[in-house]
Amino acid sequence: MTDPTTPGTVPGDDPDLDEFPDDDTADDAADDTEGGSRPPRRRRRRRALIALGVVGALVLACAAVAGTYLYSLQHSFYSKSVQVALPQSGTAQGPGENYLLLGSDKRAPEEAEAANVHGQRSDVMMLVHVDAAHENVYVSSFPRDLYVDIPGHGTGRINSALAYGGVPLAVQTVEQYVGVRIDHVALIDFDGIQGLVDELGGVDVMVDQSFEGDGIQFTQGLQHMDGETALVFVRQRKQLAEGDFARNRHQRALLRAIAEKIISRDTLTDPMRIQDLVSTIAPYMTVDDALTATEMVSLGFSMRGIRGTDIHYLEVPHGGPTTTSGGASVVATDEEAMDVFRTALKDDVMASYYSAHPDGS
């Protein structure tokens, strides 16, 4: 047995014993040679490990909070809204993403019968194209009486697709007409729009012309509107010289005002306010079953740099008012202009298209 006091050896020479010393003597001695200006190395190592542990705990806590929030958001949305399955699309996926927004103004049974209207019809129909870079958004509205082919039902007003086959047929009709795949769809009842505007504390809408509707005076220029006023604003058409075309502009103006309020900093940075908005609007919404809360949050995060000036509003090309052989008043299509629009959508070059159509038409 080797004597630990044998010449040439000193206690602690065994490297296996000294790899993790029991005290900080050696570290302290090394630091003493530098005037004690630094904490001992082992203490620094210990503090670093503690710091890493704290950071890791914070990351896990944040993940748990985010997961809880997403679950709560999804539960709130799906327990109150209606989800529908969409048929398999036969249209190839192109760059960018396309969303269909539908607005439906439910009628009282006696009013619908008097107007010879059966089923739910979309008084608002807008195609939202988000470019592949997620830097610009293009919102294109359709005249509700646009005379197009409705799969399985011949030619008819585009808004009647919702009455014939619900949200799935409305999506099929638009996909076939514009030539791009619709990734997701959302239908909102007008009562939901009223609730949304009120939840936002009202919105400032740019009114393009002065007129009176349902006892409310609208004056050209920027006008603050609560939910009820906003609903009256987007419903009026008979007293306007351009009828439905003017109403389409008013719908885009309200959507612009809502979008600018929602993407304002005080809304997007407040999770509770987002939760309140979802809870308010969900009971009035129908969406495709693939539009999950996680999908919506992911989209919102990817578009976090979008500002109001990055959202562009325009109108799908169309002809003028005309009458069918059966005597129905409709809006004619303009296939030549539509082909240009279709190409811009398909190739994700809506920026060039919009530049060539600064008036939005």
Side-chain angles (χ1 to χ4, degrees):
M1 181 173 180
T2 304
D3 186 346
T5 60
T6 303
T9 66
V10 295
D13 266 356
D14 188 339
D16 292 334
L17 297 179
D18 250 2
E19 185 176 1
F20 298 105
D22 291 334
D23 57 51
D24 295 324
T25 304
D27 285 339
D28 288 344
D31 285 306
D32 283 344
T33 64
E34 299 181 15
S37 60
R38 295 182 298 146
R41 284 193 296 271
R42 189 166 184 272
R43 291 177 190 167
R44 292 199 305 273
R45 184 166 59 246
R46 183 181 299 157
R47 291 172 187 170
L49 290 173
I50 291 173
L52 286 174
V54 170
V55 170
L58 287 174
V59 169
L60 290 175
C62 289
V65 170
T68 301
Y69 173 72
L70 278 176
Y71 174 79
S72 175
L73 190 67
Q74 182 153 314
H75 176 74
S76 174
F77 184 76
Y78 278 96
S79 64
K80 297 178 180 178
S81 62
V82 176
Q83 298 84 48
V84 296
L86 298 181
Q88 186 71 31
S89 175
T91 306
Q93 180 73 53
E97 297 160 22
N98 299 292
Y99 301 82
L100 182 62
L101 298 183
L102 303 172
S104 176
D105 198 359
K106 289 183 178 177
R107 304 167 185 250
E110 60 276 8
E111 182 185 352
E113 184 177 355
N116 195 29
V117 171
H118 305 284
Q120 193 175 18
R121 300 198 176 208
S122 50
D123 287 332
V124 178
M125 181 176 283
M126 297 182 180
L127 177 66
V128 180
H129 176 78
V130 181
D131 66 15
H134 283 199
E135 294 176 348
N136 287 276
V137 179
Y138 300 89
V139 182
S140 305
S141 61
F142 296 79
R144 68 172 192 165
D145 293 337
L146 191 65
Y147 203 52
V148 302
D149 181 64
I150 300 174
H153 297 273
T155 310
R157 296 185 180 95
I158 196 168
N159 75 329
S160 63
L162 188 64
Y164 289 139
V167 170
L169 184 59
V171 170
Q172 281 186 301
T173 300
V174 173
E175 273 194 348
Q176 176 178 284
Y177 185 61
V178 300
V180 296
R181 177 180 295 183
I182 303 300
D183 296 286
H184 295 292
V185 59
L187 165 70
I188 180 171
D189 182 78
F190 274 20
D191 288 340
I193 295 176
Q194 179 175 340
L196 175 60
V197 171
D198 284 336
E199 182 65 36
L200 289 169
V203 293
D204 296 322
V205 183
M206 184 58 69
V207 179
D208 65 340
Q209 59 186 300
S210 298
F211 66 96
E212 187 273 336
D214 291 356
I216 298 177
Q217 180 61 44
F218 297 95
T219 304
Q220 186 176 22
L222 199 63
Q223 183 169 339
H224 187 77
M225 300 183 189
D226 60 10
E228 182 180 359
T229 303
L231 206 53
V232 171
F233 178 67
V234 296
R235 278 175 167 161
Q236 306 308 304
R237 66 184 178 93
K238 291 185 177 179
Q239 72 274 50
L240 303 173
E242 295 179 272
D244 271 331
F245 299 135
R247 181 164 66 171
N248 270 9
R249 286 200 305 272
H250 294 172
Q251 292 167 353
R252 293 195 298 272
L254 177 60
L255 180 60
R256 181 193 295 268
I258 291 174
E260 289 179 351
K261 194 69 175 283
I262 288 178
I263 66 176
S264 65
R265 182 167 299 182
D266 61 338
T267 298
L268 288 183
T269 58
D270 188 342
M272 293 309 299
R273 193 165 189 186
I274 293 175
Q275 183 98 21
D276 289 342
L277 288 176
V278 169
S279 295
T280 297
I281 200 172
Y284 306 97
M285 290 194 70
T286 299
V287 299
D288 65 278
D289 55 10
L291 188 58
T292 65
T294 303
E295 179 79 8
M296 288 187 285
V297 170
S298 175
L299 175 65
F301 182 77
S302 70
M303 295 173 61
R304 62 193 180 280
I306 293 287
R307 296 295 177 265
T309 53
D310 303 318
I311 305 178
H312 315 284
Y313 300 84
L314 57 158
E315 200 169 26
V316 170
H318 59 78
T322 187
T323 304
T324 68
S325 57
S329 297
V330 297
V331 174
T333 60
D334 183 340
E335 286 301 313
E336 185 176 348
M338 268 304 298
D339 282 340
V340 177
F341 180 78
R342 291 173 182 128
T343 298
L345 275 176
K346 192 178 301 182
D347 296 343
D348 195 29
V349 291
M350 285 297 290
S352 298
Y353 180 89
Y354 186 75
S355 296
H357 300 80
D359 60 350
S361 62

